[in-house]
């Protein structure tokens, strides 16, 4: 984000007018314009490092990997500046000067953009298709995918068109480089979106507005009632500060308590019944019946149906989706607590 800010400042007309007033070689505006392309390359290298973390790369070696990516970015930046030297000496933009240096420059510039755009696109497509992805997250991923697609198309077409213009001698179709300016904007915007995702996630978690924190609040009453009946299932320190660990622990403890409570379950459901066919209200109702029977001091029946539905009902593979099923049961449980006495 710092590199992106630096690049944006360099592209401001007022800043470039101020640079022109400096003595040479500092007053070379063309040099600073080409440095903005180097900024984009370094941004792209950082995004690639972030994308590797996103797909599960070892966080302990992140700096070692990033140094490699940055070295590649610096090498490509050197190619860009060397290729841009003839146009700078001529006092022209690279697309005004054109020639083979432009072909080399745009190939070095767009190759990493294309590679990273495709990598990021595949990550966001996978995330958007995940059943646990919220609507607002899908909207964010959709925007990022659109930016990545736009960058990929430009990254493929620009070097090819530049090569064609050089071979045919037709001259640049965009000598003022308006398309490149748009590419710069998309690259910076994409980096900001990428950076905003983890920042927003951390802030929401700090404010208790993330799904894990909300699900913790939703299941609190059900957890309290279940573990009050069977205190021995409370196996961890209740002062655990990590919300994900706390949610995981409470889900397990609710399941353990429900299995113990199942001895008082007088349900006539067949053991062959598909638990996925039971809705949250049915599960909460069976829990409530067993809860009331235990509190009334009834002797557990000799034959009973295990309340395995809580453990079996969810087909999700991650914490938030698994807890979503339990949240539905917890909401139904609260309704029953309000409208009936289970004491």
């Amino acid at each position: 984000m710092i590199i992106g800010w630096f690049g944006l400042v360099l592209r401001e007309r007022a800043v470039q007018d101020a640079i022109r007033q400096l003595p040479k070689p500092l007053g070379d505006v063309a040099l600073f314009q080409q440095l903005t392309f180097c900024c984009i390359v370094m941004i792209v290298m950082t995004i690639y490092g972030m994308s590797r973390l996103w797909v599960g790369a070892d966080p302990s070696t992140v700096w070692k990997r990033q140094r490699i990516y940055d070295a590649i970015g610096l090498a490509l930046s050197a190619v860009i500046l060397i290729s841009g030297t003839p146009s700078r000496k001529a006092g022209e933009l690279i697309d005004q000067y054109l020639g083979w240096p432009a072909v080399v420059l745009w190939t070095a510039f767009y190759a990493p953009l294309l590679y990273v755009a495709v990598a990021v696109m595949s990550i966001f497509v996978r995330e958007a298709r995940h059943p646990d992805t919220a609507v607002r997250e899908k909207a964010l991923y959709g925007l990022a995918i659109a930016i990545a697609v736009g960058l990929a198309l430009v990254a493929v077409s620009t070097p090819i068109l530049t090569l064609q213009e050089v071979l045919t001698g037709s001259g640049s179709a965009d000598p003022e480089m308006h398309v490149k300016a748009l590419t710069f904007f998309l690259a910076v915007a994409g980096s900001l979106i990428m950076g905003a995702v983890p920042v927003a996630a951390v802030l929401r978690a700090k404010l208790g507005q993330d799904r894990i924190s909300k699900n913790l609040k939703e299941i609190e009453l059900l957890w309290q009632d279940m573990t009050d009946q069977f205190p021995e299932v409370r196996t961890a320190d209740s002062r655990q500060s990590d919300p994900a660990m706390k949610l995981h622990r409470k889900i397990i403890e609710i399941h353990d308590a429900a299995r113990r409570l199942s001895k008082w379950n007088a349900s006539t459901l067949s053991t062959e019944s598909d638990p996925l066919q039971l809705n949250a209200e049915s599960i909460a109702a069976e829990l409530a019946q067993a809860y009331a029977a235990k509190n009334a001091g009834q002797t557990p029946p000799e034959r009973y149906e295990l309340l395995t539905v809580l453990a079996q009902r969810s087909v999700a593979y991650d914490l938030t989706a698994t807890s979503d099923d339990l949240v539905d049961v917890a909401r139904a449980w609260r309704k029953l607590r309000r409208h009936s006495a289970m004491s």
Side-chain angles (χ1 to χ4, degrees), residues 102 143 196 238:
L143 176 59
S238 60

Side-chain angles (χ1 to χ4, degrees), residues 10 20 72 98 128 160 169 196-197 205 213 223 231 244 261 322:
L10 288 180
R20 288 190 180 92
I72 295 173
L98 212 57
I160 295 175
V197 172
S213 298
W223 173 82
L261 188 62
T322 301

Side-chain angles (χ1 to χ4, degrees), residues 2-263:
I2 293 173
I3 296 172
W5 174 85
F6 181 71
L8 286 172
V9 169
L10 288 180
R11 295 188 69 84
E12 284 294 319
R13 185 179 299 275
V15 173
Q16 293 185 1
D17 289 341
I19 291 173
R20 288 190 180 92
Q21 306 305 316
L22 298 174
K24 298 292 183 179
L26 291 177
D28 187 353
V29 175
L31 172 62
F32 285 93
Q33 289 174 337
Q34 291 178 9
L35 280 174
T36 63
F37 300 138
C38 301
C39 288
I40 296 175
V41 170
M42 298 309 295
I43 288 172
V44 167
M45 292 297 102
T46 306
I47 292 176
Y48 185 71
M50 294 170 63
S51 72
R52 294 305 88 200
L53 281 174
W54 201 314
V55 297
D58 185 3
S60 65
T61 59
V62 62
W63 291 114
K64 182 178 180 180
R65 289 196 308 273
Q66 193 59 46
R67 281 194 292 270
I68 296 174
Y69 306 149
D70 289 343
I72 295 173
L74 290 172
L76 291 171
S77 297
V79 172
I80 289 171
L81 293 178
I82 293 171
S83 302
T85 300
S87 64
R88 292 200 307 272
K89 289 182 176 179
E92 296 179 335
L93 296 175
I94 187 66
D95 278 6
Q96 292 173 335
Y97 186 84
L98 212 57
W100 287 104
V103 176
V104 175
L105 187 149
W106 292 132
T107 301
F109 175 75
Y110 280 110
L113 262 72
L114 176 61
Y115 186 83
V116 175
V118 172
V120 169
M121 201 187 317
S122 64
I123 292 173
F124 282 150
V125 167
R126 184 197 64 195
E127 293 287 342
R129 295 175 62 185
H130 197 283
D132 191 37
T133 302
V135 174
R136 60 179 174 274
E137 292 170 332
K138 289 183 178 180
L140 179 64
Y141 295 146
L143 176 59
I145 291 169
I147 292 176
V149 169
L151 287 172
L153 291 175
V154 173
V156 170
S157 61
T158 301
I160 295 175
L161 290 175
T162 302
L163 177 62
Q164 181 184 26
E165 290 164 353
V166 171
L167 292 175
T168 60
S170 62
S172 174
D174 184 26
E176 299 300 324
M177 297 169 55
H178 296 299
V179 174
K180 277 74 174 184
L182 177 61
T183 302
F184 183 86
F185 171 77
L186 289 175
V188 175
S191 69
L192 292 175
I193 290 173
M194 284 283 292
V197 172
V199 171
V202 170
L203 289 176
R204 289 181 63 210
K206 292 291 185 183
L207 297 172
Q209 296 302 310
D210 61 310
R211 289 179 67 188
I212 288 178
S213 298
K214 288 181 177 180
N215 285 359
L216 262 174
K217 295 175 184 177
E218 291 282 0
I219 70 170
E220 180 65 27
L221 179 61
L222 178 61
W223 173 82
Q224 190 69 52
D225 286 342
M226 292 293 103
T227 57
D228 281 350
Q229 289 289 336
F230 303 97
E232 67 273 15
V233 303
R234 296 181 182 175
T235 57
D237 187 351
S238 60
R239 294 172 296 179
Q240 167 66 255
S241 59
D242 181 58
M245 292 295 294
K246 187 182 294 185
L247 180 60
H248 181 69
R249 172 177 61 82
K250 289 193 174 185
I251 289 174
I252 292 174
E253 292 175 359
I254 289 173
H255 288 178
D256 288 347
R259 288 183 182 278
R260 286 167 170 77
L261 188 62
S262 66
K263 291 183 179 181

